[in-house]
Amino acid sequence: MLSFLPLHCPPPKTLSPPLSSSSKPLLLTSTPAYLSLRIRSLSTTATRPAITSTPGADPGYYTQMPPSNSNLLKIAMVGFGNYGQFLAKTLVFQGHTVLAHSRTDHSLEARSLGVSFFLDPHDLCEQHPDVILLCTSIISTENVLKSLPLHRFKRNTLFVDVLSVKEFAKNLLLDVLPSDFDIICTHPMFGPESANHGWDGLHFVYENVRIGNDQSRVDRCKSFLDIFARQGCRMVEMSCQDHDKYAAGSQFITHTVGRVLEMLKLESTPISTKGYESLLDLVDNTAGDSFDLYYGLFMYNKNALEMLERLDLAFEALRKQLFGRLHDVVRKQLFGNGERRQILQGNYSDGHQNGAALASASKAERSQGAAQPYEYQGQISNYIDDHSKLKIAIVGFGNFGQFLAKTLIRQGHTVLAYSRSDYFDVARKLGVSYFSDADDLCEEHPEVILLCTSILSTENVLKSLPVQRLKRSTLFVDVLSVKEFPRNVFLQHLPPDFDILCTHPMFGPESGKNGWNGLPFLFDKVRVGSSETRISRCDRFLDIFACEGCRMVEMSCAEHDRHAAGSQFITHTMGRVLEKFGLESTPINTKGYETLLNLVENTAGDSFDLYYGLFMYNVNAMEQLERLDLAFESLKKQLFGRMHGVLRKQLFENAEKSQVLREETSVLKVPQNGHALTSYLETLNAQNN
């Protein structure tokens, strides 16, 4: 059953400066080491230009005033798909003349944007654009560049690429273009989805690979970069080599995680956490990109394979840690049972006179942990003056118990606490009565026992409590991240007179530090007596969270665990894998990468015991771990399968060329025609290379 409890409570108590035209013009063929990274930022005295909205853009999309006529450019876009059209909107708005060419006919889209479209690249080149902006895919860039009639351009034309890999693009442009052409390698680290509300604050990475000394060429370069600076982009000047090193650890890993999670077909649940929702957003952002883009990030960045291997090793290390812990537990149980059997066999060998003792020992072993008989109190709990307040005993006063206690105290409830560790000083500062003896705690007759223990220790702690000292109708509540396990433990070990409420506040000290408003609180009324006082007590406990603004979700324990295995366990797994990977911030973080960094930060604060508990005590967790493993393996097969296909194609093409060569040379007499054969082989080899 799934229902949402209505709330009836009062609400809970800069822009980079343009490149200086006075800078001494340089002819750059590579970036000096001391210029490998330069992030341009606003000076404290800079005045931001007036803001105006872009026609046809989404609400909230803002840009600065267009440049003056002297800075306007004639820009030819080669490749006019989604990304080319995305950039063209801003170029046209700023007043630049925009031309376009693409293998696919996009003339209708171009006309609607105010762009002149050319199907024939010769016609485009004869327009003598100032800038050629390559918006092709990574895989097609080389063929497209080599197909352009470069001789029809002006000799000093500026070529710019926007690929997600930079060393490949730089080497290609230097290799194919004549030496008098200028080159800027850029990477706008955003797209139609991530920049649908504007480019302000988003990274634009560039390297001035080769710019002529002439002032007009320096000014043209500055005017092009100003297109992005004016939109508020964070302008980052960085060598292509450094870009690829950082991008392999951020962009490629982000896309990899997004594609793995996409294969799991993750869906929003009624109990989705903030971390899980951020993963769903990541999947949405990466799902819109083609596999060609992802394959290009892998194939054309020499650092990507190392990143993939490290991610694989991190996932394997986490699995070994989980199964190693499981192996230790099983071994302990096996050897523990073996020791007990050996003791029993020793007792039995003493003779039949010890049969009674043996039977007694066996009976004691079977009954160990069962609730002991206790004296029932004559009356159910007396009312206190303020019926909305409760006397709540927190069992387990670690971080989470203290976290909840602060709100309970603030709301005016009487709070007691007990824990195996000594938290006397902490409790006193919070206004909590602390007990180091569980008997003393229970003799205070709290109305609610709130178990804030770890998953692994819950059963032992519960069995150790002197429940016979509590009132018969006491309400037991847990806050574990798994629900079927505590439900079964409560039903097995608590007397039938005790009420049981299984809950899961799906937040903690970190995610709930700014309040609980809107955060999910799941609960299942497993067993609540029919009397008005017991129903009221349960509702008053739930009101603690409802009055803080929690989103109250009533759901069976079984349904919770099914949803949690697909959301909470996967979220923690990805966070721990990336933590083992050693994920670190870079100067060119994307929004998706920031999501992963935040995920690592949120999950790193939780103990491995918590994660192991999510795995061991949720029957659905193993299936999710196997699905995640299969998804990662499937993605690797897809990548390596594509690479294998490319290699096979190259091998067979070379084999066909070799066959033609043999047929053509079979009629030649080698001694007389050795020079001709050598010349032919050299020509063929040059073509292959």
Side-chain angles (χ1 to χ4, degrees), residues 632-676:
F632 190 38
E633 287 301 317
S634 176
L635 182 62
K636 288 193 295 182
K637 286 180 180 178
Q638 197 174 0
L639 274 177
F640 296 133
R642 176 75 171 269
M643 191 164 58
H644 180 257
V646 171
L647 182 59
R648 279 180 57 85
K649 185 177 179 181
Q650 291 176 346
L651 289 173
F652 279 107
E653 284 180 351
N654 290 338
E656 290 175 0
K657 289 178 181 177
S658 298
Q659 178 65 25
V660 171
L661 173 63
R662 284 194 294 270
E663 291 174 356
E664 291 183 356
T665 58
S666 62
V667 297
L668 295 175
K669 294 181 180 179
V670 176
Q672 291 89 343
N673 297 289
H675 178 73

Side-chain angles (χ1 to χ4, degrees), residues 490-547:
F490 278 162
L491 289 173
Q492 179 183 356
H493 295 295
L494 291 178
D497 302 273
F498 283 22
D499 288 349
I500 300 172
L501 177 66
C502 286
T503 79
H504 182 192
M506 301 196 70
F507 48 88
E510 184 62 30
S511 56
K513 63 184 176 183
N514 297 319
W516 303 353
N517 190 47
L519 300 177
F521 180 89
L522 180 136
F523 65 96
D524 183 5
K525 297 177 181 179
V526 177
R527 186 172 70 200
V528 178
S530 58
S531 71
E532 185 64 34
T533 55
R534 296 169 78 162
I535 294 173
S536 172
R537 178 180 59 191
C538 179
D539 290 341
R540 280 183 286 151
F541 181 83
L542 292 173
D543 281 348
I544 293 170
F545 299 89
C547 287

Side-chain angles (χ1 to χ4, degrees), residues 36-293:
S36 62
L37 172 60
R38 182 170 68 206
I39 301 179
R40 302 182 180 274
S41 60
L42 275 171
S43 68
T44 55
T45 58
T47 303
R48 194 177 183 90
I51 301 293
T52 182
S53 61
T54 302
D58 293 337
Y61 181 104
Y62 297 101
T63 184
Q64 299 176 13
M65 292 297 290
S68 62
N69 289 336
S70 61
N71 293 323
L72 295 178
L73 298 168
K74 182 188 285 189
I75 302 173
M77 309 187 75
V78 176
F80 202 61
N82 288 337
Y83 198 78
Q85 294 171 33
F86 163 69
L87 293 180
K89 294 175 185 177
T90 296
L91 300 180
V92 170
F93 170 74
Q94 288 193 4
H96 301 284
T97 301
V98 182
L99 322 173
H101 160 69
S102 193
R103 289 174 296 182
T104 305
D105 187 356
H106 289 293
S107 55
L108 293 178
E109 293 92 336
R111 186 183 307 125
S112 68
L113 294 173
V115 173
S116 301
F117 188 81
F118 298 85
L119 273 174
D120 191 326
H122 291 265
D123 294 335
L124 177 84
C125 297
E126 288 173 354
Q127 296 294 318
H128 289 171
D130 302 305
V131 180
I132 297 295
L133 184 57
L134 287 171
C135 295
T136 51
S137 69
I138 300 173
I139 296 172
S140 66
T141 295
E142 184 170 5
N143 289 336
V144 170
L145 184 63
K146 290 180 176 179
S147 71
L148 293 177
L150 300 177
H151 58 282
R152 297 193 181 279
F153 289 116
K154 287 185 178 180
R155 287 175 296 173
N156 66 353
T157 303
L158 170 61
F159 269 72
V160 182
D161 84 285
V162 292
L163 297 188
S164 303
V165 291
K166 297 270 56 82
E167 280 197 280
F168 163 72
K170 175 183 177 179
N171 293 335
L172 178 65
L173 291 171
L174 287 172
D175 182 52
V176 174
L177 294 179
S179 58
D180 49 2
F181 281 27
D182 289 347
I183 300 171
I184 307 178
C185 285
T186 79
H187 182 194
M189 299 193 69
F190 49 87
E193 183 64 30
S194 57
N196 60 351
H197 294 300
W199 302 357
D200 191 51
L202 300 178
H203 290 89
F204 182 88
V205 182
Y206 68 96
E207 180 183 356
N208 295 329
V209 177
R210 187 171 67 199
I211 305 297
N213 290 326
D214 185 74
Q215 187 62 44
S216 63
R217 296 167 76 167
V218 174
D219 290 343
R220 178 180 59 188
C221 170
K222 182 181 81 70
S223 295
F224 179 81
L225 293 175
D226 277 352
I227 293 170
F228 299 89
R230 286 178 175 276
Q231 298 300 126
C233 288
R234 188 172 179 223
M235 307 297 286
V236 181
E237 185 170 5
M238 175 184 291
S239 71
C240 292
Q241 182 179 11
D242 280 349
H243 168 279
D244 282 5
K245 180 182 68 176
Y246 289 126
S250 59
Q251 192 179 26
F252 177 69
I253 289 298
T254 303
H255 276 262
T256 300
V257 172
R259 287 188 171 274
V260 168
L261 295 177
E262 183 186 5
M263 291 179 176
L264 292 180
K265 304 203 179 300
L266 298 182
E267 296 178 348
S268 184
T269 74
I271 57 172
S272 297
T273 60
K274 287 183 176 179
Y276 184 64
E277 288 293 346
S278 67
L279 289 184
L280 292 177
D281 291 340
L282 178 65
V283 171
D284 288 342
N285 289 337
T286 54
D289 295 321
S290 67
F291 185 77
D292 276 358
L293 170 62

